[in-house]
Amino acid sequence: MILLCLDVSNSHTSIGAFDLSRPDEALLDHWQVSSDERRTADEWQLLVTGLVARSGIDAIDAVSLCCTVPMILVELRAMQERYYADLPVAIVGPGVKTGVPIHTDNPREVGADRIVNALAAAELYGGPAIVVDMNGTATIFDVVDADGRYLGGAIAPGVELSLEALARRGAQLRSVELAVPRDVVGKNTVEAIQSGLVYGFAGLVDGIVTRIIDSLEEDPDHVTVIATGSYPESVVDNCATITTHDPFLTLTGLRLVHEKNHG
């Protein structure tokens, strides 16, 4: 049984195919595409089926997805109704079981991807845990306590968004490759920007994680800090507080959502 999972964020969409008939429910293949709001339901279907077919997968038996972009979600629902109406489909939102108690002021405003990440963190690693979802648009921190409850988190700008803003607003600055510079003290403009982005965002992650752990009043050694998302390894590798790097955490969470709703 092949489960198709889609995690749609503002900048990127992660797609994965799990083989649920295997004992390890293996992730057979995965892809990343842009989150284009102009893409229609038919174009999404063509994109998905093309990627799946290239991996030698004959058919899709179930779908699980989360989407934080309203315009894209409309097209994905249309794709589901047109092409997957007879299949088990879980679209994370109201009415879909996740098993995660949400302890925030307004649970309905919590992004679907954040709940999925909390579910995967609680199921795979146990609490207390902090998920640091690093995508191009935002750096999102989500907190799960020892009882598996979602407590909330923090949202900061993403590294790609910051780099684009820097290049757009700085007359003598430009976009650069996000790589570790020779030294934290840049000897030229490119290295200076690289230093600010790589070490600056690593410091942002470590600073917020440390404050969250203090707020939880937990022993730092007992808190799992999981990095996921599309951040370059140049940033992740320089974060002192990250204990686990799981790039497929959200896709795994979507698999868990399917199992909770369709067995």
Side-chain angles (χ1 to χ4, degrees):
M1 179 177 179
I2 302 300
L3 170 67
L4 176 71
C5 294
L6 295 94
D7 166 32
V8 185
S9 65
N10 288 291
S11 55
H12 300 99
T13 295
S14 295
I15 305 172
F18 290 88
D19 186 351
L20 301 186
S21 62
R22 292 174 50 167
D24 59 356
E25 298 180 315
L27 178 64
L28 297 179
D29 210 341
H30 59 89
W31 311 271
Q32 188 173 85
V33 300
S34 62
S35 296
D36 189 345
E37 294 184 4
R38 298 169 300 177
R39 194 175 287 141
T40 67
D42 296 325
E43 288 173 323
W44 275 105
Q45 172 65 6
L46 184 63
L47 173 66
V48 167
T49 53
L51 292 172
V52 169
R54 291 189 64 180
S55 294
I57 298 171
D58 295 328
I60 295 168
D61 302 298
V63 179
S64 181
L65 68 88
C66 65
C67 179
T68 58
V69 186
M71 289 181 63
I72 296 179
L73 183 57
V74 170
E75 296 301 325
L76 292 178
R77 288 189 183 278
M79 178 187 74
Q80 178 262 319
E81 294 170 358
R82 189 172 304 164
Y83 296 101
Y84 303 120
D86 297 330
L87 301 183
V89 176
I91 301 177
V92 180
V96 173
K97 293 183 290 185
T98 63
V100 179
I102 305 174
H103 287 242
T104 62
D105 293 340
N106 185 2
R108 288 184 173 273
E109 72 179 10
V110 180
D113 56 336
R114 303 180 72 182
I115 301 304
V116 171
N117 282 342
L119 168 62
E123 293 276 345
L124 299 181
Y125 303 98
I130 302 169
V131 178
V132 186
D133 191 348
M134 305 177 180
N135 61 66
T137 303
T139 305
I140 303 173
F141 301 79
D142 292 306
V143 184
V144 178
D145 69 7
D147 297 320
R149 299 175 300 184
Y150 177 78
L151 303 183
I155 302 175
V159 64
E160 290 182 15
L161 182 67
S162 298
L163 179 56
E164 290 172 5
L166 196 64
R168 187 171 60 251
R169 298 294 294 273
Q172 293 184 309
L173 303 178
R174 59 188 184 275
S175 293
V176 301
E177 178 189 3
L178 196 60
V180 178
R182 291 177 297 175
D183 189 77
V184 67
V185 180
K187 300 299 184 182
N188 53 62
T189 300
V190 170
E191 290 186 349
I193 295 173
Q194 290 173 332
S195 177
L197 289 172
V198 171
Y199 299 121
F201 273 88
L204 180 150
V205 169
D206 289 339
I208 293 182
V209 166
T210 299
R211 288 176 180 270
I212 289 174
I213 293 174
D214 289 344
S215 175
L216 294 174
E217 298 181 346
E218 294 282 355
D219 182 341
D221 293 336
H222 296 161
V223 180
T224 305
V225 183
I226 310 146
T228 192
S230 57
Y231 249 37
E233 291 188 3
S234 58
V235 175
V236 176
D237 291 345
N238 282 282
C239 296
T241 55
I242 299 295
T243 59
T244 302
H245 186 198
D246 187 344
F248 307 121
L249 184 74
T250 313
L251 292 177
T252 302
L254 288 169
R255 174 178 63 78
L256 294 170
V257 169
H258 164 79
E259 293 172 357
K260 288 182 178 296
N261 288 270
H262 299 289

